[in-house]
Amino acid sequence: MKRLYFVFACCLFIFSESCSKESTNSTVEIPPSNSMNVTIAPNQSYELNLNSSGVVSVSKQASHYQISETSFDSKTGSIIYKYVPAVDYIGSDEVILSNTKAATNSGSACHGSHGSNNDNTTYSTSYTIIKLNISN
């Protein structure tokens, strides 16, 4: 009788492991997809409306700045990047912005009445390089 319970418990364990809910997350990085050159005067600000979904952040910060940040414009619903060079700075600067988007695909890990859903989230990241020339 103990042997029967042991076999039943082993079968139950194996079946539950093969149909357990799993989550697979992967990140796909894409090389820089957008590069732009911008010229501004010293002490002038620059804004870029990114019109993008996802999470946008500064991936590589500029070197000569007072302000270099992303923010959310509540009026337009857009993500904005704003740059103001260091006071009286003349020269070049560069910032790299990353935009990460998530996509979730649902599938079934097991078929039949004991199946569970298998959620797969894929993240894709694109980059925007902004090359700034601050000159008179």
Side-chain angles (χ1 to χ4, degrees):
M1 188 69 161
K2 288 182 183 179
R3 185 178 254 172
L4 182 60
Y5 285 124
F6 177 76
V7 171
F8 177 74
C10 286
C11 289
L12 184 61
F13 176 75
I14 290 169
F15 181 76
S16 67
E17 284 297 307
S18 66
C19 290
S20 65
K21 183 175 182 178
E22 296 176 13
S23 177
T24 304
N25 294 328
S26 63
T27 301
V28 178
E29 291 204 11
I30 301 169
S33 57
N34 191 13
S35 180
M36 58 184 65
N37 295 312
V38 175
T39 300
I40 59 174
N43 306 313
Q44 180 184 8
S45 66
Y46 169 74
E47 283 191 8
L48 175 64
N49 184 334
L50 296 164
N51 287 328
S52 179
S53 61
V55 176
V56 178
S57 60
V58 175
S59 179
K60 177 185 173 264
Q61 186 57 271
S63 300
H64 308 283
Y65 67 94
Q66 287 182 52
I67 299 171
S68 177
E69 64 187 13
T70 59
S71 61
F72 181 75
D73 185 344
S74 59
K75 291 178 185 176
T76 64
S78 297
I79 299 171
I80 304 290
Y81 170 72
K82 183 173 183 177
Y83 175 86
V84 177
V87 176
D88 298 329
Y89 176 74
I90 295 175
S92 61
D93 212 347
E94 180 179 283
V95 64
I96 300 176
L97 306 176
S98 63
N99 183 0
T100 302
K101 297 178 183 181
T104 302
N105 300 316
S106 294
S108 178
C110 296
H111 301 289
S113 62
H114 299 295
S116 62
N117 286 336
N118 198 19
D119 292 333
N120 296 315
T121 302
T122 302
Y123 298 93
S124 65
T125 303
S126 61
Y127 298 92
T128 300
I129 300 171
I130 304 172
K131 296 179 181 188
L132 298 139
N133 181 27
I134 300 91
S135 64
N136 289 326

